[in-house]
Amino acid sequence: MPSSRIQAVGSHVAPLAKDSVPQLSGSSAAMQALRAQIARIAASCAPVAIRGESGSGKELVARAIHAQGARAAGPFIAVNCGAIPETLMEAELFGCRPGAYTGALHERQGLFQAAHGGSLLLDEVDDLPLVMQVKLLRALQERRVRKLGGSADEAVDVRILCASQHGLARGVAAGSFRQDLYYRLNVIELAVPPLRERLGDLPALCEAILARLAPRQVVHLAPAVLAALERHAFPGNVRELENLLERALAFADGGVITADGLGLAVTAPVTALNPGLPGRQLPLPGMAHGGAPIIPLQLFLLQTEREMILQALVQTRYHRARAARQLGISVRQLRYRMQKLQLREPPG
């Protein structure tokens, strides 16, 4: 059922009161169950491993756990492990002493020290190289960290939350994630449902997103908008929904968001591409037998990007860090493109 404030033209999105902690929107059974789990585990200090697709709201879940627990008054620090250069990773997490490396002119604290008394979210923790996994394991076991270039350990009191797309067990099975670190981090596992499994939450999500994007603007949704969104697969989940609404808001005429303004017609042709091997593709509209393909430029570019990424993934046996280096992009950029192009690692 549509929200009372998000229906057709004539209703509007009223600005919501700003809260220090973003809320998990939706009243679907999946979200009610997730909120109930969060409420049960928030009081604990046990590590939590949050599993969910890119853009599904893993950081929001981590913030909710922190906000409802005994450490709510302490800091909440989030770091994307895949975005830190390997050479700076130890200094970023544990801090460094002056002279520890070229350019280290001052003593600085690391993220563990910054999160002391609160919670530290290690997003995409399965992207950590094995050398750093050993150092992280020691820090968790000893509850102490040593700054890069230092000689003394410092006690830290931090609740560890971590997030990954496929779950840490997959990395253990592949040999890319240490089993002993897995047992330290995966004490409690939470699964965040993808948006396609809770499309009934779309009205509430649209309301919350638009209230954040345009807090002082009255926004109307045309009748066909929710129907168009419900037909979409949302490979990028809630983050993709936010991007779609932000685009539609920019094209809104008189504050009215239309289905055309969402731009779904541009992204939909990706599903026409064959998810098989590189170089294989389904016949495309306008392709002449024996002649040059006559296809929309956007589709051609998506197809070319997809084939290049697939080639890099196959050559590196789906090792994302190595594939990203071959392509000259970051692991996070590679992950986003794989989601956009619906590329998934083959089972087994």
Side-chain angles (χ1 to χ4, degrees):
M1 291 295 291
S3 161
S4 60
R5 285 184 288 178
I6 292 196
Q7 298 173 358
V9 172
S11 62
H12 68 279
V13 179
L16 300 180
K18 288 189 175 180
D19 196 290
S20 58
V21 180
Q23 300 300 307
L24 291 165
S25 301
S27 57
S28 63
M31 288 306 294
Q32 290 184 36
L34 180 61
R35 280 193 289 264
Q37 287 180 298
I38 290 171
R40 284 198 298 270
I41 68 174
S44 167
C45 288
V48 181
I50 305 166
R51 173 171 50 86
E53 295 179 6
S54 177
S56 59
K58 297 187 291 295
E59 184 171 335
L60 281 183
V61 170
R63 288 182 178 276
I65 293 171
H66 172 77
Q68 296 179 38
R71 296 172 176 263
F76 175 89
I77 305 294
V79 56
N80 188 306
C81 298
I84 306 176
E86 190 169 339
T87 54
L88 299 177
M89 201 166 282
E90 185 174 356
E92 193 73 17
L93 290 178
F94 306 136
C96 70
R97 301 277 295 174
Y101 59 88
T102 303
L105 303 178
H106 307 285
E107 183 164 348
R108 55 173 291 195
Q109 67 175 2
L111 295 173
F112 268 83
Q113 293 96 327
H116 182 75
S119 304
L120 176 62
L121 170 63
L122 301 172
D123 195 8
E124 304 301 343
V125 68
D126 45 346
D127 283 340
L128 282 175
L130 287 170
V131 173
M132 274 307 303
Q133 291 180 31
V134 175
K135 295 177 179 181
L136 175 60
L137 177 63
R138 180 184 179 276
L140 298 179
Q141 288 175 334
E142 305 295 331
R143 297 182 179 272
R144 304 178 71 85
V145 298
R146 179 177 297 181
K147 290 180 178 177
L148 185 63
S151 57
D153 292 344
E154 301 176 38
V156 287
D157 175 24
V158 175
R159 183 179 190 180
I160 296 294
L161 309 171
C162 66
S164 63
Q165 286 196 50
H166 305 292
L168 302 182
R170 184 170 182 170
V172 173
S176 61
F177 199 81
R178 292 179 61 97
Q179 189 173 51
D180 45 7
L181 181 57
Y182 165 80
Y183 288 128
R184 281 283 174 181
L185 294 175
N186 207 76
V187 177
I188 301 173
E189 186 179 58
L190 278 184
V192 183
L195 181 53
R196 64 180 174 274
E197 293 181 5
R198 56 184 190 102
L199 292 177
D201 290 335
L202 278 172
L205 286 167
C206 289
E207 180 174 2
I209 290 169
L210 288 172
R212 188 168 66 250
L213 293 176
R216 291 178 294 275
Q217 183 179 353
V218 176
V219 181
H220 303 279
L221 294 186
V225 170
L226 285 177
L229 290 174
E230 287 171 354
R231 291 193 298 268
H232 188 56
F234 284 107
N237 292 289
V238 180
R239 185 182 296 126
E240 181 184 3
L241 174 62
E242 183 166 356
N243 290 342
L244 289 172
L245 291 175
E246 187 170 12
R247 178 191 189 279
L249 194 60
F251 285 95
D253 187 8
V256 178
I257 288 179
T258 64
D260 289 340
L262 295 171
L264 290 175
V266 175
T267 57
V270 178
T271 58
L273 301 176
N274 190 337
L277 298 175
R280 294 181 59 192
Q281 62 186 63
L282 297 175
L284 297 169
M287 181 173 287
H289 293 289
I294 305 172
I295 60 174
L297 178 61
Q298 178 73 11
L299 181 56
F300 173 77
L301 294 174
L302 287 171
Q303 177 180 306
T304 303
E305 180 182 12
R306 189 177 198 280
E307 291 177 354
M308 291 293 292
I309 291 175
L310 265 174
Q311 184 177 347
L313 289 169
V314 170
Q315 287 179 358
T316 60
R317 297 184 180 180
Y318 280 80
H319 191 288
R320 287 177 293 177
R322 289 200 293 267
R325 281 195 294 270
Q326 283 192 12
L327 294 165
I329 59 178
S330 68
V331 175
R332 186 168 190 170
Q333 289 172 320
L334 175 60
R335 187 180 305 115
Y336 170 76
R337 284 171 164 82
M338 288 176 67
Q339 287 285 335
K340 180 183 73 173
L341 298 169
Q342 300 182 9
L343 290 172
R344 295 180 177 83
E345 186 174 345

